[in-house]
Amino acid sequence: VLPGITRASIVTMAKDLGLEVKEEIFSRDDLYLADEVFLSGTAARVTPVRRIETTELSGDRPVMARLRERLTAITEGRDPQYEHWVTRIRLDP
């Protein structure tokens, strides 16, 4: 796990939504049994993990979808709760 702005943002948003956030080493079996598995990063933002090796994971990802939608709203300046995360740049014609 690398520290980063997107990761920190996802962790903060998850906690703000009342979700428990654990940072620990998980086994492959833990991932197979997880309700949802996703990754975050600057370019990927929030991306689902669809398969681990030959095991297909659940396509139902309500938590990931909620976090992705919220991150998009924040980056587009549409979420007043996180307005302080946004720096608006005004372009004069």
Side-chain angles (χ1 to χ4, degrees), residues 20-82:
E20 180 182 4
V21 176
K22 289 184 180 181
E23 298 184 62
E24 59 187 61
I25 296 173
F26 292 98
S27 71
R28 189 177 307 151
D29 290 338
D30 292 329
L31 296 176
Y32 293 145
L33 298 172
D35 293 332
E36 298 183 46
V37 179
F38 58 87
L39 303 171
S40 67
T42 302
R45 292 193 181 193
V46 183
T47 303
V49 175
R50 293 182 170 88
R51 176 179 27 204
I52 299 173
E53 295 178 344
T54 59
T55 302
E56 295 287 329
L57 302 178
S58 171
D60 187 31
R61 301 178 185 96
V63 173
M64 188 215 70
R66 193 169 176 193
L67 291 169
R68 176 190 274 171
E69 289 166 9
R70 189 147 212 196
L71 184 62
T72 299
I74 292 166
T75 58
E76 292 175 355
R78 297 184 287 112
D79 191 321
Q81 181 179 350
Y82 298 96

